[in-house]
Amino acid sequence: MLLRTFGWSFAVTVLGLAFAFWAWGWQGFAIVAILSVLEISLSFDNAVVNASVLKKMNAFWQKIFLTIGILIAVFGMRLVFPVVIVAVTAQLGPIEAVQLAIDDKARYEELVTAAHPAIASFGGMFLLMIFLDFIFEEREHKWLAWLERPLAKLGRLDVLSIVIALVTLLVAATTVATNVPGSGDKSGTVLLSGVAGLLTYLVVGGLSDFFEGRLEEDEAAADEAAEKQAAEAAKTGRKPQSAVGLAGKAAFFLFLYLEVLDASFSFDGVIGAFAITNDIFEMALGLGIGAMYVRSLTVYLVRQGTLDDYVYLEHGAHYAIGALAVLLLVSIQFHINEVITGLIGVLLIGASFWSSVVRNRRLGENSSSKGTAEVSSGV
């Protein structure tokens, strides 16, 4: 199971590190290895959240996520995205932007860093909406019950998460965005990018929810009609209509949602990578290897049913998302070390995992005690 899920990740790691050593020597080898570890540590919460969405898809769409999805994640976000940012901000053509990245790495890094306020605002708002919609939803299991119960009651107001997100954006635009080091006032840019992030979440998430809801309704109707159509189907040989097309649409928009989610998680990794290297090819290779492990870990969590066994893991990941959203908005003006970002996510997920273990032990002890009591009373 482990080799089947992580086999491609192991293979890409060996080939990637071998290529790094061949192309750039021991220094390049070390840089690519460090970037891989950085990406994995920053994106573990991404894998947990991805798994909560991916488990709704069938095996076909899980394969799409691991193939086409990884191409988008590695080449799109880790290589093409920084080049596009430079091309847009510097008003250059794609070829000129690539040439700049190769010939003038310092200038290239400067342009990508200058685009950070817009990137952080977009990603911060998208992630903030994910966090808010999670904590405002009524759930069977509650990790921090003292906090989640009252928030779930407040969440009955449908637009509350949008209102809070917009207020947060206004605060960020009028405080941290007014005096960005080296760029001055970026309030307008932050507002525009933040609204774009919010709209992206609403459109992609809304379409995904819509088609998923339609699929559930279609399946329920099919189940109700199954008994009535059974006799006729046996005589005619025809089967009740399936919801394959609708399932495809639902899975497609869930796939889009996952890709935008991955992009939002990637922003801090791409920007943070410049603290280690400004070579776009070393960066793409190192972050790409890390992205492969995030993808494999996502599928592993789904196939092992880890989220069902450790019920608070999803909570910890979403709290980590909320923390990352705030850190992205704060980072518009203040530099935040990537180690801090990664540690916050790891600590929150670790705490939620431990709480899940304690809960499982308690349930196991209660079950054993109940079984012993029943046997004693029977005797």
Side-chain angles (χ1 to χ4, degrees), residues 324-338:
L324 178 57
V326 173
L327 290 174
L328 277 174
L329 294 175
V330 172
S331 70
I332 292 172
Q333 182 174 357
F334 304 101
H335 173 71
I336 299 175
N337 193 291
E338 289 72 32

Side-chain angles (χ1 to χ4, degrees), residues 182-243:
S183 301
D185 191 348
K186 286 287 185 178
S187 300
T189 300
V190 168
L191 274 174
L192 183 62
S193 300
V195 170
L198 176 61
L199 288 177
T200 301
Y201 173 83
L202 293 176
V203 171
V204 178
L207 288 172
S208 175
D209 291 342
F210 171 75
F211 284 110
E212 188 180 355
R214 287 282 302 273
L215 174 60
E216 291 175 354
E217 292 175 5
D218 190 83
E219 289 177 342
D223 289 340
E224 291 178 1
E227 294 182 2
K228 296 180 182 179
Q229 296 177 346
E232 182 182 349
K235 294 178 182 179
T236 61
R238 292 186 303 175
K239 296 181 180 180
Q241 291 184 349
S242 64

Side-chain angles (χ1 to χ4, degrees), residues 49-375:
V49 177
N50 282 352
S52 68
V53 179
L54 195 65
K55 68 181 181 181
K56 302 176 184 178
M57 298 180 179
N58 58 23
F60 170 78
W61 279 98
Q62 289 181 10
K63 290 179 180 178
I64 292 294
F65 179 72
L66 275 178
T67 52
I68 297 176
I70 194 63
L71 291 176
I72 295 173
V74 174
F75 295 103
M77 282 307 302
R78 276 75 180 181
L79 182 60
V80 177
F81 172 72
V83 173
V84 170
I85 288 295
V86 170
V88 172
T89 55
Q91 297 182 346
L92 299 173
I95 297 177
E96 292 174 299
V98 173
Q99 197 67 40
L100 179 67
I102 297 173
D103 297 337
D104 193 350
K105 296 177 182 179
R107 176 59 178 161
Y108 173 81
E109 178 183 351
E110 180 183 335
L111 290 172
V112 174
T113 304
H116 177 68
I119 297 171
S121 180
F122 181 96
M125 290 302 295
F126 188 89
L127 295 177
L128 182 62
M129 282 299 299
I130 294 175
F131 168 68
L132 291 174
D133 278 351
F134 180 85
I135 62 171
F136 284 140
E137 183 178 343
E138 182 64 45
R139 298 184 176 277
E140 178 184 358
H141 303 291
K142 294 178 175 60
W143 182 30
L144 306 178
W146 57 272
L147 176 63
E148 294 171 13
R149 282 201 183 98
L151 289 178
K153 293 179 180 179
L154 289 174
R156 294 169 186 170
L157 298 172
D158 292 336
V159 297
L160 184 59
S161 58
I162 299 176
V163 171
I164 292 177
L166 286 174
V167 170
T168 303
L169 178 60
L170 285 173
V171 171
T174 55
T175 54
V176 295
T178 57
N179 187 25
V180 179
S183 301
D185 191 348
K186 286 287 185 178
S187 300
T189 300
V190 168
L191 274 174
L192 183 62
S193 300
V195 170
L198 176 61
L199 288 177
T200 301
Y201 173 83
L202 293 176
V203 171
V204 178
L207 288 172
S208 175
D209 291 342
F210 171 75
F211 284 110
E212 188 180 355
R214 287 282 302 273
L215 174 60
E216 291 175 354
E217 292 175 5
D218 190 83
E219 289 177 342
D223 289 340
E224 291 178 1
E227 294 182 2
K228 296 180 182 179
Q229 296 177 346
E232 182 182 349
K235 294 178 182 179
T236 61
R238 292 186 303 175
K239 296 181 180 180
Q241 291 184 349
S242 64
V244 174
L246 189 57
K249 291 178 182 178
F252 173 72
F253 282 106
L254 281 175
F255 173 76
L256 289 183
Y257 175 82
L258 279 174
E259 291 306 313
V260 178
L261 177 64
D262 177 75
S264 299
F265 272 101
S266 301
F267 292 150
D268 61 331
V270 172
I271 298 298
F274 280 103
I276 300 171
T277 180
N278 54 13
D279 187 308
I280 60 170
F281 300 109
E282 290 180 348
M283 189 184 303
L285 183 57
L287 297 180
I289 292 174
M292 282 291 298
Y293 281 96
V294 173
R295 282 296 198 279
S296 297
L297 180 59
T298 298
V299 174
Y300 180 80
L301 292 174
V302 172
R303 292 175 178 171
Q304 290 291 100
T306 305
L307 297 183
D308 295 328
D309 295 334
Y310 302 94
V311 296
Y312 299 137
L313 262 182
E314 195 174 351
H315 294 72
H318 279 85
Y319 280 110
I321 285 178
L324 178 57
V326 173
L327 290 174
L328 277 174
L329 294 175
V330 172
S331 70
I332 292 172
Q333 182 174 357
F334 304 101
H335 173 71
I336 299 175
N337 193 291
E338 289 72 32
V339 174
I340 296 175
T341 305
L343 280 178
I344 290 176
V346 170
L347 288 175
L348 286 168
I349 292 175
S352 63
F353 175 78
W354 178 250
S355 296
S356 301
V357 171
V358 172
R359 171 187 176 274
N360 292 344
R361 287 178 180 174
R362 185 171 62 250
L363 291 177
E365 291 173 357
N366 291 340
S367 177
S368 299
S369 300
K370 184 177 178 180
T372 303
E374 290 177 351
V375 171

